[in-house]
Amino acid sequence: MAKRFLCSPLQSKEFKYGAVSFELLSDFLINLNKRNKDKLDSLSKHTGDFKDKKLIEYIFLIIEDLRLDPLVGYHAIELFERFMIKHLEDLFTAPTPQGAAADLPRNYEDIVYEKLRKKTPLIVFSCVQLASKLSLHSRIIDNNTAVHFLHSMGDSVSKQTLLESELMVLKGLEFRLNVPNPMTYVEILLEVLGYNESSIPVERLHHMCHHVLQFTYLQRTAIYDSLLMATTQCLSPTREQREKFVTVTEDCMLLGVGVIAVATYILILSKWEQVVEELSHMTGISRRSICDFAYVTLMYITRTTSPVTST
């Protein structure tokens, strides 16, 4: 019986399919699945709060202006969210000196958020800079480039300030920078798909997947809100339903198969059923879940207001 896939990322600007051995691909897929499950088991109540559309667009524009690998942008988004959640939790849970609590203003949280808001552009750039250093196939953003770029954006900062910001992010993340990256999931799943089904033109799908993933990230709130309403059959989901749904919005494996399914529908509709079936077989994610994600995303891509019914 032919080998078939069932349920340290590859980073490449020109992803070459078919060049990875069965054993290595198997290890990658198992590792991604484990990391995805570990992430979903340890979500913060603030997870998703820092994936605002304007922020994501801002990071994508930085990546484009600096001509970095798109993978760096997704990595920077993940680093930024993890840092902000950890940083705010540390600020609000840090013990205060005895008697100092009474001196804190009632709007203490507002003051903290305001101070942090002013630092946000620099923190974002530090995350991009760190992500560029972790990419094997993207140029590293040195401090000279960083200072020049930030100056062109209207932010005059010194190299020392840049170093301090980068160190603050590193310490906040406890130097754990190897976070799950959605583009890595897409690329590994495409590689496995091409191995299992040689008739699928994964090279063509790869380019389209980049566009679909970017669109999905920029329309993240709208897409997942529609998916939540479709899942709960409720136009106004409860707070409890939204909290439980975070495990769906943060599921990189679901996002990966959904993106590939959408790209397949757009490029090679004749292979749609075959690809969805294989993706379900590879990951253990139900065909219905993949189709629901794909249909909702396609609805926003085509800008239609008519209801979409999954099969």
Side-chain angles (χ1 to χ4, degrees), residues 136-173:
L136 298 177
H137 299 276
S138 183
R139 70 190 186 93
I140 294 174
I141 305 303
D142 59 34
N143 286 336
N144 288 328
T145 303
V147 168
H148 178 75
F149 178 81
L150 289 170
H151 181 72
S152 70
M153 299 291 290
D155 294 317
S156 297
V157 296
S158 65
K159 292 181 182 180
Q160 182 62 33
T161 302
L162 274 173
L163 289 171
E164 290 173 356
S165 176
E166 191 172 350
L167 186 58
M168 178 180 71
V169 173
L170 280 170
K171 287 182 177 180
L173 293 171

Side-chain angles (χ1 to χ4, degrees), residues 3-208:
K3 292 179 179 178
R4 195 175 187 84
F5 289 106
L6 299 172
C7 167
S8 127
L10 289 181
Q11 299 176 341
S12 174
K13 216 167 186 178
E14 297 296 333
F15 202 83
K16 296 181 180 179
Y17 291 94
V20 183
S21 68
F22 172 90
E23 290 74 16
L24 192 57
L25 265 182
S26 181
D27 287 344
F28 276 139
L29 190 59
I30 291 171
N31 178 260
L32 286 181
N33 192 44
K34 182 181 182 303
R35 291 174 65 194
N36 189 53
K37 288 182 176 179
D38 289 345
K39 175 188 176 182
L40 296 179
D41 288 339
S42 57
L43 294 174
S44 163
K45 65 180 181 179
H46 299 295
T47 298
D49 290 353
F50 297 97
K51 288 181 179 175
D52 176 76
K53 180 180 178 179
K54 289 184 178 179
L55 176 69
I56 291 173
E57 187 174 12
Y58 177 61
I59 291 177
F60 284 165
L61 288 173
I62 292 176
I63 298 302
E64 184 178 344
D65 285 348
L66 294 176
R67 299 180 180 179
L68 300 175
D69 189 328
L71 188 143
V72 173
Y74 295 106
H75 202 151
I77 291 168
E78 298 301 320
L79 290 178
F80 177 77
E81 179 177 62
R82 290 198 172 199
F83 169 76
M84 292 297 282
I85 290 173
K86 180 71 166 54
H87 189 58
L88 286 173
E89 287 177 347
D90 289 346
L91 285 175
F92 292 132
T93 59
T96 55
Q98 202 170 28
D103 298 328
L104 291 177
R106 292 182 180 179
N107 60 342
Y108 173 68
E109 289 190 9
D110 292 337
I111 294 174
V112 169
Y113 280 119
E114 179 60 24
K115 287 183 177 179
L116 203 54
R117 186 186 65 79
K118 294 177 180 178
K119 295 181 180 179
T120 296
L122 185 56
I123 295 173
V124 168
F125 196 85
S126 292
C127 291
V128 172
Q129 200 170 7
L130 286 170
S132 75
K133 294 177 181 179
L134 294 170
S135 177
L136 298 177
H137 299 276
S138 183
R139 70 190 186 93
I140 294 174
I141 305 303
D142 59 34
N143 286 336
N144 288 328
T145 303
V147 168
H148 178 75
F149 178 81
L150 289 170
H151 181 72
S152 70
M153 299 291 290
D155 294 317
S156 297
V157 296
S158 65
K159 292 181 182 180
Q160 182 62 33
T161 302
L162 274 173
L163 289 171
E164 290 173 356
S165 176
E166 191 172 350
L167 186 58
M168 178 180 71
V169 173
L170 280 170
K171 287 182 177 180
L173 293 171
E174 298 177 336
F175 296 88
R176 297 175 183 173
L177 305 181
N178 192 18
V179 298
N181 187 312
M183 181 52 72
T184 301
Y185 281 78
V186 170
E187 292 184 337
I188 295 300
L189 288 168
L190 277 175
E191 181 71 65
V192 176
L193 178 64
Y195 188 99
N196 287 350
E197 297 291 344
S198 58
S199 65
I200 305 297
V202 291
E203 292 86 356
R204 289 179 60 198
L205 287 177
H206 179 250
H207 184 68
M208 179 58 71

Side-chain angles (χ1 to χ4, degrees), residues 237-271:
T238 64
R239 181 177 179 180
E240 183 181 3
Q241 287 173 323
R242 289 186 177 279
E243 289 175 352
K244 289 182 178 179
F245 200 70
V246 174
T247 56
V248 175
T249 64
E250 297 302 315
D251 191 336
C252 286
M253 197 66 81
L254 174 62
L255 176 61
V257 296
V259 165
I260 295 172
V262 171
T264 303
Y265 190 95
I266 295 171
L267 278 183
I268 40 175
L269 183 58
S270 61
K271 297 288 186 180

Side-chain angles (χ1 to χ4, degrees), residues 51-54 56-57 60 212-226 293 296-297 300-301 303:
K51 288 181 179 175
D52 176 76
K53 180 180 178 179
K54 289 184 178 179
I56 291 173
E57 187 174 12
F60 284 165
V212 174
L213 182 59
Q214 186 179 70
F215 177 87
T216 304
Y217 252 60
L218 289 171
Q219 298 296 328
R220 171 188 170 86
T221 301
I223 289 173
Y224 282 114
D225 278 352
S226 295
F293 185 97
V296 169
T297 304
Y300 280 97
I301 289 176
R303 296 181 180 277

